Amino acid sequence: MYKIVFFLLLSVTAVGQGYTGTKTPYPFKQANYTPVPKGYTAAYVNYTGRHGARFMTKAGSDVKLLALLNKSALTPLGDSLKVMTAQFLEIEKDNYENISLLGDAEQHAIAERLIKREAPAFKGRGVTIAVTHKKRTRQSADGFLKAFADYKGKIAFKMVQDTNENVLRFYDLSPAYNAFKDGKVIAERVDSLQQDPLSRKIAGDICKRIFTTALPEKEQTAVAEWLYDLYSIQFSLVMEMQQAKVHFDFGKAFTQEELQWLNKINNAADFLEKGAGLDTLGIQSRIAAPLLLDLVTSTDALTKGKLNKDAVLRFSHAEAISPLATLMGIREASVPAASIYDFDKNWKAENIIPLSANIQWIIYSNGKQFLLKVLLNEREVALPVKTTCYPYYKWEDVKSYYLSKLKKIGVKPGDDMHKYLLQVK
């Protein structure tokens, strides 16, 4: 019954939703997978995933919007939005930072498909799970593990101190990266979109539909941003809405063209901060070196019997998944853009880092040799490594390629990754 409800709600969400970028609920589509080469079976799983669909991480747009609506003269649409915002706040109450019921269901379903698809890998040797200090990653791991109810192996959790989360929250630990994120390179390009005449027109048009008197231009911009935030999050709360017997749709405040533009502005910042940006080997991808090195070394340990586990599972954030995809050279995550107006011709946040995004390294063995297949959000992807049996690659070729790439950016096995993050420029 739980799975039926989950897939029904995903179908409903998919029909009514669009232009939500990194807040897109997990867009799974049934795939036809390339048969495993003769003689090989799944041997190990090395998994890195983003947390599931969630509530807002803190009070902000919701509270500010309701406060303004409560003290303003409103149109009928404005009155409707005020009621919806109050309902939204009621559902969000005491839930900031948590994953939603849909987020839990996303994780459960991904794990069920993984276990079914790669069943030979799960022999009962145990599973290691790493989470960050943010509770939504532990909640996501718990949802994932619902599919392991009958698993006989030992399940071990690992969480390091937040000041030493070199593998899963590397982006918080690099002074140079944080300076880059807050610097002119990103600000000037995002500002060019925010200050585009279309942005001002959209904000003004939205407010005309909601308020009976004109707002200052700065406040109009804020209202458009607040409403878009709530619009983006609402699709993660479909099951909570059902439980509360309420329904809100902040999409009523926008035209499709407005949503498309606001989504572009949000995605532009994500593209520059954690995507291919202007340079696929810029600091926004090089900071993912600790995670890529961990994947390479743990996979090598699995294949050599030094790590006797069925799977290594990591639960992190969009800020880890996207740079990893870029550093790995996954094509759709690795096309830079000279003009910020053109970035989304190739880079689609909803395809690369939706909620519950994941990169799965599946290792196959014939008893003597190992092959690797990589899935991005459960889709087969190509690696920049030669192979005669795509999407399967000889593990030794993949290992050699990534160790060589890491060496070029100053990283090798055994290095102090905390020191690397502090010193990388």
Side-chain angles (χ1 to χ4, degrees):
M1 180 64 182
Y2 187 71
K3 285 192 289 185
I4 293 173
V5 171
F6 167 66
F7 287 114
L8 174 62
L9 285 168
L10 272 188
S11 299
V12 171
T13 301
V15 170
Q17 176 204 335
Y19 310 113
T20 47
T22 64
K23 297 184 181 69
T24 302
Y26 190 64
F28 174 72
K29 293 181 180 178
Q30 190 63 49
N32 293 317
Y33 294 106
T34 306
V36 179
K38 187 176 180 180
Y40 285 84
T41 56
Y44 309 101
V45 172
N46 213 338
Y47 179 98
T48 308
R50 184 189 180 193
H51 60 77
R54 59 165 175 78
F55 294 86
M56 299 181 78
T57 55
K58 60 183 178 181
S61 298
D62 49 355
V63 174
K64 293 174 184 176
L65 179 61
L66 185 60
L68 179 60
L69 293 172
N70 277 336
K71 68 179 184 181
S72 302
L74 304 174
T75 65
L77 175 60
D79 285 329
S80 175
L81 290 170
K82 182 169 72 171
V83 171
M84 289 192 288
T85 305
Q87 292 172 333
F88 183 96
L89 270 164
E90 189 61 31
I91 285 178
E92 289 275 333
K93 185 180 179 182
D94 299 325
N95 279 310
Y96 293 111
E97 288 200 77
N98 292 332
I99 66 168
S100 64
L101 293 171
L102 180 61
D104 182 88
E106 288 172 343
Q107 296 289 331
H108 186 182
I110 292 168
E112 281 195 335
R113 291 189 293 267
L114 172 62
I115 292 172
K116 182 179 179 181
R117 190 180 64 243
E118 314 297 349
F122 295 94
K123 298 179 173 68
R125 293 166 295 190
V127 172
T128 297
I129 301 173
V131 298
T132 76
H133 73 280
K134 295 294 186 179
K135 61 183 178 181
R136 57 188 176 274
T137 63
R138 175 60 192 253
Q139 292 169 344
S140 296
D142 289 341
F144 198 92
L145 287 175
K146 288 179 179 179
F148 285 73
D150 298 325
Y151 182 69
K152 304 303 181 185
K154 182 180 179 182
I155 295 175
F157 274 89
K158 180 175 69 174
M159 182 176 70
V160 300
Q161 189 176 3
D162 59 353
T163 55
N164 201 38
E165 291 181 314
N166 306 314
V167 173
L168 294 182
R169 285 184 69 89
F170 46 79
Y171 49 90
D172 278 343
L173 303 180
S174 168
Y177 171 68
N178 285 305
F180 164 78
K181 189 172 66 171
D182 297 333
K184 289 184 178 180
V185 170
I186 293 177
E188 289 176 353
R189 287 162 176 80
V190 176
D191 285 351
S192 70
L193 293 175
Q194 291 175 333
Q195 294 170 12
D196 188 288
L198 182 56
S199 296
R200 293 195 294 272
K201 181 180 184 303
I202 285 173
D205 288 348
I206 290 170
C207 288
K208 285 177 185 176
R209 297 181 206 126
I210 299 171
F211 302 96
T212 59
T213 56
L215 299 179
E217 187 174 294
K218 188 174 181 180
E219 201 162 27
Q220 290 177 1
T221 299
V223 168
E225 291 175 355
W226 297 338
L227 275 168
Y228 179 73
D229 281 349
L230 271 59
Y231 165 80
S232 300
I233 289 289
Q234 71 182 12
F235 299 102
S236 292
L237 309 181
V238 288
M239 296 175 79
E240 283 78 8
M241 279 192 267
Q242 186 183 58
Q243 283 189 346
K245 297 182 179 179
V246 299
H247 177 74
F248 39 78
D249 177 13
F250 291 95
K252 293 177 179 179
F254 307 94
T255 66
Q256 181 175 320
E257 291 73 24
E258 290 166 351
L259 286 171
Q260 186 174 9
W261 181 253
L262 292 169
N263 181 54
K264 186 183 187 82
I265 294 174
N266 273 265
N267 289 349
D270 289 320
F271 172 75
L272 294 168
E273 290 176 7
K274 46 186 170 278
L278 307 178
D279 177 6
T280 54
L281 272 182
I283 192 169
Q284 82 286 354
S285 68
R286 283 184 284 118
I287 56 165
L291 178 51
L292 179 57
L293 181 62
D294 186 64
L295 274 163
V296 172
T297 55
S298 58
T299 299
D300 206 44
L302 288 167
T303 63
K304 291 179 177 177
K306 295 179 180 179
L307 182 57
N308 189 30
K309 300 289 182 183
D310 291 337
V312 177
L313 309 174
R314 303 168 193 79
F315 295 87
S316 186
H317 306 268
E319 293 85 350
I321 304 298
S322 182
L324 174 63
T326 301
L327 191 58
M328 283 178 58
I330 295 174
R331 175 66 181 174
E332 64 190 276
S334 305
V335 181
S339 168
I340 196 60
Y341 283 83
D342 297 332
F343 80 93
D344 48 359
K345 289 181 178 179
N346 296 291
W347 196 85
K348 310 291 184 184
E350 64 274 17
N351 292 338
I352 301 168
I353 42 173
L355 294 154
S356 289
N358 56 87
I359 295 176
Q360 302 182 21
W361 286 27
I362 313 298
I363 302 98
Y364 301 86
S365 175
N366 64 359
K368 296 179 180 179
Q369 297 175 311
F370 294 94
L371 299 177
L372 177 74
K373 179 170 77 171
V374 173
L375 304 178
L376 172 63
N377 301 326
E378 299 177 85
R379 292 179 280 110
E380 295 174 344
V381 292
L383 303 179
V385 178
K386 290 182 179 180
T387 183
T388 58
C389 55
Y390 169 83
Y392 301 91
Y393 298 81
K394 291 181 180 178
W395 166 241
E396 291 298 324
D397 291 346
V398 175
K399 180 178 73 168
S400 176
Y401 175 81
Y402 284 132
L403 287 180
S404 176
K405 187 169 189 176
L406 287 166
K407 184 178 179 181
K408 289 177 182 177
I409 61 175
V411 172
K412 63 182 185 301
D415 282 355
D416 182 335
M417 288 294 93
H418 191 70
K419 184 178 180 180
Y420 167 80
L421 292 171
L422 292 177
Q423 295 181 347
V424 67
K425 301 299 183 184

